[in-house]
Structure formats: C-alpha cells, structure tokens
Amino acid sequence: MRKIKCVGILTSGGDAPGMNAAIRAVTRSAIASGLQVKAIYRGYEGLINNEIKEFTTENVSNIIQRGGTILKTARSTEFLTVEGRKRAYDNMVEQNIDALVVIGGNGSLAGARIFAEEYDVPCIGLPGTIDNDLNGTDSTIGYDTTLNTIMECVDKIRDTATSHERIFFVEVMGRDAGFLAQNSAIATGAEAAIIPEDSTNADQLEQFIGRGIRKSKNSSIVLVSESPKCGAMYYAERVRKEYPEYDVRVSILGHLQRGGSPSANDRILASRLGVGAVQALKEGQRNVMIGIRNDEVVYVPFSNAIKSNKPVKKELIDVLGILSI
C-alpha cells in the first residue's frame, strides 16, 4: 500500500453549517500527523479544473464559527463521466495527493465510491448534509443547526398564525427524508408533519384535518417536506378547495435553512469526524464514511452509508400524533 503523505480535502453538493469546522479539523489533524494538506475548491468540479491550493494551519484559523464552506461547493455533472473522473485523477497525481477527504451528502459520497473503485484512491467521506439522510451515523454535519433555524422561524410564524386564526403550511428542506420536518414539528409544537416516509395510502391532509383543527384549534401549523409534486403549496390549495372555511397561508423557508453560524453540536460533531477521517487514513482505512453512533466514532463503508433511505423512527411520528391533540 502506498504511504500517504498528502491529503486532499473538498466540500461537495449542498453546503451545510459545520463544513468549515470539518475542514479545520481535517487540516489541523493531518498537519499534526506530519501530512501535507491540499485544499480543493468547488468540489469535484475544482478537482477536474485543478483549483487546488496547499493549506497550512493558518488557512483554517477563525473559520469554525462561520456557516457555508470556505472551499466553496458545486454540483459537478462532468464528474459523472469517465472522462471527467480521469481528469480529476490526473490532477491528483500532478498535485501529489495520495488520499481524498470528501465532505458532502449522498451524491458526493456516491461519487467518491466510484472514483475510489476506478483509480484505487483511498477516499474518506464525512457526512455533510442538513437532511440527516445518510445511514450509519446518528447525525450529519449541519442537521442540528438547520433544525434550530427552522425552530426559530416557526416560533415566529406561530405568533401570527395564532393572532389571525390561520393554518400555516411551512415547507422545509428534505425532499427524500423527513427528519427536518418531523423533528422541527415536535420541537415547535406543530400540529402535524407531512413527510415522505409517512406517505402511505392514507391521506395525510385528511388525517390532520380530522384529528386536529376540526376539534378544538383555531390555528395550526403543519411542517411539510419539500416536494416538486406535493409540497406546501399543494396542500394549501387542497385546503382552499376542500375546506374553504379555513384561512390558509404558506411559508417556504428555502435557503435560509442552510445559512447561519453552526451550533455547538455541529461544531463538535464536525471536529470529531474531521479528526476521525485522518485517523482512519493512518489506520489504512479506505472508502468509508466517518460517522457517530451512540457517541462513538465509527467507520461505515460507502456502500452502507448510501445504500438506502435512512428511516424516520415511527416513535417520532407517534410522539407528534399524541402531543398534537
């Protein structure tokens, strides 16, 4: 096995609060272990275009509290091609990068897995996504901060919903995973959450109307996971048509969910995972995601981390149902 002397680091896909803390942790941990660090800007696109710079410990000073990612990020269609990955590998060889640390979500880690298989490059993934939808880790970098951001927004919406006796449909991110909607609904005392995992044959809107507002409530808040077909606007239109007696409003939180200074939990998580990534490389690990399970750092094979949708616990759905009476 080739001895690792230089580690490349990149952030890919959607940004998440805490990515900078992870960049800082990987950089300083690698340098402390006698390794060189090369920062790759704009994700896989930057690797293809050779946007690479050597990092020292000073490059990551005063970034732990900043949202977003100082390395920038991008979604690369070229990296999906054989030719694009060949260019990326050639640049790694030219820059003497022996291993790659990829901070990102499902698509980013899937890309790292293919790249590692094609070119026998040791790749380590860090779960950087606000959706919390990667298997093998209890939480992903950015999830806690985003949950708190949503909670603060919904608390404010609650004030106006109560004043005007309205139903508010609040749309949050998480197209394929309902963790943000479900847990922010519990945290804010919302009346319901409409999430992809609960999309059985039962009509979630009918369940909500029947259980909640018809009985005793003159204002309600429903958290809805974003969806191109049945997001918050879809459900609001249905209420206007099917239950015209209710005053309905929609609030789509959008990209403000991605911003903001990372929470203490996300800074600590990112720091532990970043150090864990370098430790994994020193141990000869490859093609694994670093996760946290039961407060312990674990190594999760890429194939397990991205293999299927991570389920929302039914217990959480039950808790919301009980508390929304």
Side-chain angles (χ1 to χ4, degrees):
M1 187 184 297
R2 181 179 173 183
K3 182 175 172 60
I4 295 173
K5 298 179 181 177
C6 177
V7 177
I9 180 171
L10 63 83
T11 51
S12 172
D15 62 302
M19 280 185 164
N20 284 328
I23 293 165
R24 173 181 179 270
V26 172
T27 300
R28 292 193 169 177
S29 180
I31 291 171
S33 299
L35 303 175
Q36 189 181 21
V37 177
K38 295 282 182 78
I40 300 155
Y41 287 81
R42 294 174 185 82
Y44 292 123
E45 198 72 4
L47 189 56
I48 291 169
N49 295 324
N50 209 14
E51 297 180 59
I52 301 170
K53 172 185 174 182
E54 183 172 357
F55 258 26
T56 66
T57 188
E58 288 79 17
N59 289 107
V60 293
S61 295
N62 201 31
I63 68 168
I64 195 170
Q65 78 282 9
R66 291 169 57 183
T69 163
I70 63 166
L71 294 183
K72 313 298 182 188
T73 183
R75 301 184 192 276
S76 177
T77 53
E78 193 173 354
F79 194 75
L80 298 175
T81 68
V82 173
E83 295 77 15
R85 292 191 294 275
K86 175 68 165 62
R87 285 181 60 192
Y89 178 71
D90 289 344
N91 287 333
M92 276 188 67
V93 172
E94 180 188 320
Q95 293 278 352
N96 296 313
I97 297 172
D98 305 308
L100 205 57
V101 176
V102 175
I103 307 168
N106 215 303
S108 303
L109 300 194
R113 179 190 179 193
I114 294 169
F115 191 57
E117 288 172 351
E118 284 182 342
Y119 292 103
D120 196 28
V121 173
C123 289
I124 303 293
L126 295 189
T129 168
I130 66 171
D131 292 347
N132 196 35
D133 61 347
L134 287 166
N135 283 284
T137 185
D138 291 340
S139 188
T140 58
I141 297 166
Y143 172 64
D144 184 70
T145 305
T146 299
L147 200 56
N148 280 285
T149 298
I150 293 169
M151 185 179 69
E152 291 169 10
C153 292
V154 175
D155 284 349
K156 292 178 170 65
I157 290 169
R158 172 76 71 183
D159 294 341
T160 186
T162 305
S163 299
H164 290 274
E165 299 185 335
R166 286 171 172 160
I167 301 175
F168 262 90
F169 288 95
V170 182
E171 186 174 290
V172 300
M173 289 182 170
R175 179 169 299 181
D176 300 312
F179 292 96
L180 286 172
Q182 189 67 42
N183 283 311
S184 59
I186 294 172
T188 58
E191 279 63 41
I194 296 177
I195 61 173
E197 292 88 344
D198 200 25
S199 59
T200 59
N201 291 330
D203 188 328
Q204 293 185 70
L205 179 65
E206 179 58 40
Q207 286 180 334
F208 153 63
I209 294 285
R211 183 184 70 233
I213 196 160
R214 275 185 182 163
K215 293 179 183 176
S216 60
K217 299 188 178 182
N218 54 21
S219 71
S220 291
I221 290 180
V222 181
L223 274 293
V224 184
S225 292
E226 65 182 355
S227 166
K229 292 183 178 177
C230 46
M233 294 297 293
Y234 165 80
Y235 286 105
E237 283 303 314
R238 275 195 56 191
V239 171
R240 290 187 184 109
K241 290 176 184 175
E242 297 171 31
Y243 308 98
E245 65 270 30
Y246 297 125
D247 190 11
V248 183
R249 293 292 185 275
V250 171
S251 184
I252 298 174
L253 299 187
H255 283 80
L256 69 82
Q257 295 166 84
R258 290 196 184 278
S261 180
S263 66
N265 282 341
D266 271 331
R267 298 182 197 194
I268 294 164
L269 175 65
S271 297
R272 291 181 69 187
L273 296 181
V275 171
V278 175
Q279 184 61 37
L281 288 172
K282 288 164 64 179
E283 292 174 9
Q285 294 284 340
R286 52 200 291 139
N287 314 334
V288 296
M289 180 190 80
I290 313 298
I292 292 278
R293 277 205 302 262
N294 300 320
D295 204 34
E296 296 290 336
V297 173
V298 294
Y299 302 153
V300 185
F302 282 154
S303 55
N304 291 349
I306 62 180
K307 68 177 179 181
S308 61
N309 291 334
K310 180 177 174 181
V312 169
K313 290 182 180 177
K314 187 178 184 303
E315 174 205 347
L316 294 172
I317 297 172
D318 293 341
V319 165
L320 182 59
I322 292 167
L323 298 182
S324 64
I325 60 171

